Each structure stands twice: as structure tokens, then as C-alpha cells.
Amino acid sequence: MTGQTRFNSWQAVHDEVLRRIREREWKPGDSIPNEDDLAREFGCARSTVNRALRALADAGLLDRRRRAGTRVALHPVGKATLDIPVIRREIEARSQRYGYALQSRQDAVPPGPVRAVLNLGPDARAQHVLALHLADGRPQAIEDRWINLATVPQAADADFAKVSANEWLVDNATYTHGDITFSAQSATAAEAALLGVDAGAALFVIDRTTWHHDDAVTTARLAYAPGYRIQTRI
Amino acid sequence: MTGQTRFNSWQAVHDEVLRRIREREWKPGDSIPNEDDLAREFGCARSTVNRALRALADAGLLDRRRRAGTRVALHPVGKATLDIPVIRREIEARSQRYGYALQSRQDAVPPGPVRAVLNLGPDARAQHVLALHLADGRPQAIEDRWINLATVPQAADADFAKVSANEWLVDNATYTHGDITFSAQSATAAEAALLGVDAGAALFVIDRTTWHHDDAVTTARLAYAPGYRIQTRI
DNA sequence: TAGTGGTCTAGACCACCGT
DNA sequence: CGGTGGTCTAGACCACTAG
């Protein structure tokens, strides 16, 4: 017998298990040994194995259930983690000069779809903010936002001419959860004019809605000028 | 003295720290007590505090550095985790019928940009696969892929008429890391024809490149028909 | 160089849920 | 029911780095 390789760090265990999955030693759908057995095999504590397997489960490579044990995921789902920075910082991170131009701001009855998303009654009003974010003086993104005054009444008095609603909300409204949708949409005539591009240009669009428990806080549509992209490592 | 509230689970500690950040008891940039002190205050073990703070740091709300301690992040970065499923499963998950149509497949010298990404010499050849993914018979996405035969030689013999390169690679090539870029692009005439849309339509595009250690495995461009979107919760 | 987070350990109890 | 993962604990050593 030669000496066993030791896997006494959760990273080492993680990598070894990942290797066995990738090399098909453990195939999709297979049950793998339980934590106690793996700990014995790897010569480490069970909690070390636990952390490694938990990381792999978070990554979507393993399915873990009490009593049923741990299995290799049938359909390994790739997961990518994106950073969603505040636009100003995103621009400044590229060493560009950030600019901001409020286009309009009013208290109004939102259109049907927005009303539905914010869960407002048919006559309820909300704060509408339309603004332009600029990078080195050139339009970078249109922010079209509705803020639920029932949830964030202070928004009625905020000075969105100086601070974007985007940033104001980060500092003045908390949320418990939200959802984000990424899509590609053709620029409307109005959007094209604001961004200084041809109508119909392909815009990268991020729709975001946030809630504080059951109360909708705000919903926003960010339409980025052509050329924008989001990148991440996996 | 009234009895202290106990925080004897990492979730409870997590929530309490999150509360203090949200309520501005601990402001952006502030140092917070070290793990030992917090453990004493919360009446739990240091490792419990550690796990809670680690989760908050992963979420971008805290900055942690040895010796320097833990600080509330100056600019809380929102993070979103996207699932990147195999296209077939994505379509089947919507209860649509999946279809696949290989358009062309050849061994060729890739264009400059692809050569650069795959880190190939000027005369090196690679496997080029162009295919269409369909949902209920309608074009859903164009897959334009180059496979590095130096890394995955078996790709030369794969039958991409039956199994998409996308899926074949999942089963036959492993990778250690990769990068993904999301963008919006106008459909070229060729893309528009394949997808059955007007030229210039806004397409959601995912560019993905994967490596096995230092060797590029494949690079692919997935251009989705208008209407496609990616959604996630935060 | 000393203080902080990062991690490992050995043991323990518990929640969950297949069988 | 009983096996599995989920978690907590108390203690220890280590890696990193600010002062």
C-alpha cells in the first residue's frame, strides 16, 4: 500500500469530487457515498466534506437531500453570477466621466402593466422618473422608473435632478427581494432620439422590480445604448 | 438587565447583521466588531458568526480582510445568479417541442477573432458548427460554434446532425472555467433569414468560451430570436 | 509582529423524509 | 423507523496583512 493522498482542505475535497464527476467516475444520477464515508476516505472531518459538497450543490452539480443522500445532478445547470452595479460606478470603473440628466419627473397614474407589477389599484398614483445616464457625455442608458409612493413616500420629496432615482433608492429604500429580466429590444423612436441612435437599434434591456416583503418598491427599465454588454466568469 | 436575545443559528446572525446594515446602525464604510466580539454578543460560537458574515460578504454587503477586519461595503453591489441551461431543456421546460437542425459543419481555419480566442496559430484548423435550435418548429436560436480540435479531437468524429454540439460537449468535454458575455445585437441578413425575422431585429446574444486549464475548448455564439429573455430572482 | 479572518477537527444534536 | 444532511460548539492552528 502506498500512502493515500490527503484531502484535508475543503477546496481539495471540492476539486477531487468535481474531478470524479467530470471524469464520469460518478455519473449523472448516481448516488455518491455519504459524508461520513467520504470523510473517512479523504482523511478529514465530516464538516470539511460538508462544506465542499455544499459548494458543489450550490453550483448545481449535486442534488442533496436528507435521508436520500447526495446524487450527481442529472442535468448540470451552468450558473453565472452577475454583478449589477449602480450605473454611475459602472461608468466610473471604466474611467469615463459620469453624467446624469433628468428628463421628466411626475406624479401620475401608471399604465396598466406597471400598475399590475406594483400591485396598485386602478386610480393609485406613483412617481414616474425618466432620466438619462451618460458616459463621457454620451448617452449610456435610459432609466424609466416608477416608484410606489405607498411604500416609499419620501420619494415624493427627493431631488431626482441631482441624484438619480437609481442611487437615491439604494440609500433610502431597502428591499427584501426582487427580480431581474434581461432581454434585447429594438429602440423605439423616443428611445432612439434620447440615445442618439437609429430607431430600431438593438438595445440591451434590464427590467428590475423590487419588493419590501409584500409591498412593491419600484420597477425600472434600463435600456442601454448599443455596444453594452455584461460579462462574467464561470 | 433584561435577558439578551439569542442568535444561535447562522441565519439568525445573518439576519441581525443585515438588519443593522439596512437600518444604518452600521453605515457603509464602518468597521464592525470582530468575530470573537460578535460571537460573545450573540451568545454563539465564532464559527457561527463566521458563516453568517461570509454569506453577507458573498452577497457583496461586507468587505472582509484579514487583519483589517470586516467593513460594511461602500457600494453594495447587487448580484444576480443566472441559470444557463442547455437549450433543449430550456425549451422542453416550457412544454414546447424541441427541434434541431444542423446547417453546416466543417473543418476550417477560423477567422482572426476566433483564432485569437482559441489561442490557435495562423494556419490551425478548428471544427465549425452552425446549427438552429427550434421550439415547436419555430427557430429559437442560432448556434455558431468553433471547437478546438487540439483540445477535443473526438469532436472531429461526432455526429452533430443528431446531437447538438452544445449537448455533445456537455457529455464529452470538460472545462475548468469559462466566460460568458450577454449583449444585444442587430440580426445580420443571414441570421434574420435563419430565424425568420426582419434583418436588424434585436437579438439577445450569449457568447461563451470555455477552457480546460490553459487550453481553449470551444467558443460559441448563441443568437436568440426576438422575445427571448432571461429572468432571475435576487 | 500582532490581530484578524480562514479553516480544520471531533463530537454532538437535530430536522427531515425515504422506506 | 433510522439514515442522511444541516448545523452548532469549543478549541486550535494558520495565512495574511496593516500598522
Side-chain angles (χ1 to χ4, degrees):
Chain A
M1 275 309 260
T2 69
Q4 308 277 332
T5 307
R6 298 282 184 74
F7 297 97
N8 30 349
S9 83
W10 73 268
Q11 281 285 1
V13 173
H14 173 280
D15 291 350
E16 172 62 12
V17 172
L18 185 55
R19 187 191 66 75
R20 293 186 187 182
I21 294 171
R22 295 229 159 116
E23 315 243 331
R24 298 286 190 283
E25 284 180 37
W26 291 337
K27 303 191 179 70
D30 284 359
S31 267
I32 75 172
N34 68 33
E35 297 187 347
D36 268 325
D37 289 344
L38 286 176
R40 224 168 296 125
E41 176 188 345
F42 291 145
C44 66
R46 179 166 81 97
S47 45
T48 303
V49 172
N50 180 280
R51 180 155 181 196
L53 297 188
R54 193 153 34 81
L56 288 163
D58 287 344
L61 289 166
L62 294 176
D63 283 334
R64 318 192 72 199
R65 274 150 61 197
R66 288 169 147 110
R67 169 70 191 180
T70 300
R71 293 170 172 277
V72 179
L74 277 173
H75 303 285
V77 178
K79 298 201 177 186
T81 303
L82 311 181
D83 291 346
I84 315 285
V86 173
I87 299 182
R88 180 172 61 77
R89 290 189 44 75
E90 193 175 14
I91 289 170
E92 291 172 347
R94 293 196 303 261
S95 301
Q96 293 183 304
R97 181 170 43 85
Y98 173 73
Y100 170 76
L102 178 64
Q103 302 296 306
S104 74
R105 182 262 181 81
Q106 52 185 316
D107 196 299
V109 175
V114 171
R115 217 162 54 215
V117 166
L118 294 183
N119 197 27
L120 296 175
D123 297 327
R125 306 176 75 81
Q127 188 74 206
H128 183 218
V129 178
L130 183 67
L132 201 54
H133 299 268
L134 306 106
D136 279 345
R138 302 203 318 201
Q140 165 83 354
I142 298 170
E143 176 179 352
D144 185 341
R145 180 183 295 275
W146 288 87
I147 303 172
N148 187 350
L149 291 173
T151 309
V152 198
Q154 323 91 288
D157 305 318
D159 182 1
F160 293 136
K162 291 182 179 165
V163 179
S164 77
N166 191 324
E167 291 183 62
W168 184 89
L169 284 162
V170 169
D171 288 338
N172 295 277
T174 65
Y175 64 89
T176 52
H177 63 287
D179 73 41
I180 301 191
T181 300
F182 303 89
S183 61
Q185 295 179 27
S186 293
T188 64
E191 289 170 337
L194 273 176
L195 292 174
V197 301
D198 291 336
L203 306 184
F204 192 89
V205 175
I206 302 179
D207 284 290
R208 195 178 347 176
T209 302
T210 56
W211 288 268
H212 187 72
H213 301 297
D214 289 338
D215 305 317
V217 174
T218 180
T219 183
R221 177 175 189 274
L222 290 162
Y224 286 82
Y228 180 78
R229 62 209 181 91
I230 287 186
Q231 188 164 11
T232 190
R233 297 212 149 258
I234 53 175
Chain B
M1 275 306 258
T2 70
Q4 309 277 330
T5 307
R6 299 283 184 74
F7 297 96
N8 34 349
S9 83
W10 73 267
Q11 281 285 2
V13 173
H14 173 281
D15 291 350
E16 171 62 11
V17 172
L18 184 55
R19 187 191 65 75
R20 293 186 187 182
I21 294 172
R22 293 230 159 114
E23 316 244 332
R24 299 284 191 282
E25 283 180 38
W26 291 336
K27 303 191 181 70
D30 284 359
S31 268
I32 76 173
N34 68 33
E35 297 187 346
D36 268 324
D37 290 344
L38 286 176
R40 225 168 293 125
E41 176 188 346
F42 291 145
C44 66
R46 178 166 81 95
S47 46
T48 303
V49 173
N50 179 281
R51 178 154 182 195
L53 298 189
R54 194 152 35 81
L56 288 164
D58 287 346
L61 289 166
L62 293 176
D63 283 335
R64 319 191 72 199
R65 272 149 58 194
R66 287 168 147 110
R67 169 70 193 187
T70 300
R71 293 170 172 277
V72 179
L74 279 173
H75 303 284
V77 177
K79 300 203 177 188
T81 303
L82 305 184
D83 291 346
I84 317 285
V86 173
I87 299 182
R88 180 172 60 78
R89 289 188 45 75
E90 191 175 16
I91 289 171
E92 290 173 347
R94 293 196 304 261
S95 301
Q96 293 184 305
R97 180 170 43 84
Y98 173 73
Y100 170 77
L102 179 64
Q103 303 296 304
S104 74
R105 180 263 181 81
Q106 53 186 316
D107 196 298
V109 175
V114 171
R115 218 161 55 214
V117 166
L118 295 182
N119 196 27
L120 296 175
D123 297 327
R125 305 176 76 80
Q127 188 74 206
H128 184 219
V129 178
L130 183 68
L132 202 54
H133 298 268
L134 305 107
D136 278 347
R138 302 202 319 198
Q140 165 84 353
I142 298 170
E143 176 179 351
D144 186 341
R145 180 182 295 273
W146 289 87
I147 303 171
N148 187 349
L149 291 174
T151 310
V152 199
Q154 323 91 287
D157 305 319
D159 183 0
F160 293 136
K162 291 182 180 165
V163 179
S164 76
N166 191 325
E167 292 184 63
W168 184 87
L169 284 162
V170 169
D171 288 338
N172 295 276
T174 65
Y175 64 90
T176 51
H177 63 287
D179 73 41
I180 301 191
T181 301
F182 302 89
S183 61
Q185 295 179 28
S186 294
T188 63
E191 290 170 336
L194 273 176
L195 292 174
V197 301
D198 291 336
L203 306 184
F204 192 89
V205 175
I206 303 178
D207 284 289
R208 196 180 345 175
T209 302
T210 56
W211 287 267
H212 186 71
H213 301 297
D214 289 337
D215 304 317
V217 174
T218 181
T219 183
R221 177 176 189 273
L222 289 163
Y224 286 84
Y228 181 77
R229 60 209 181 89
I230 286 187
Q231 187 163 11
T232 191
R233 298 210 151 259
I234 53 176

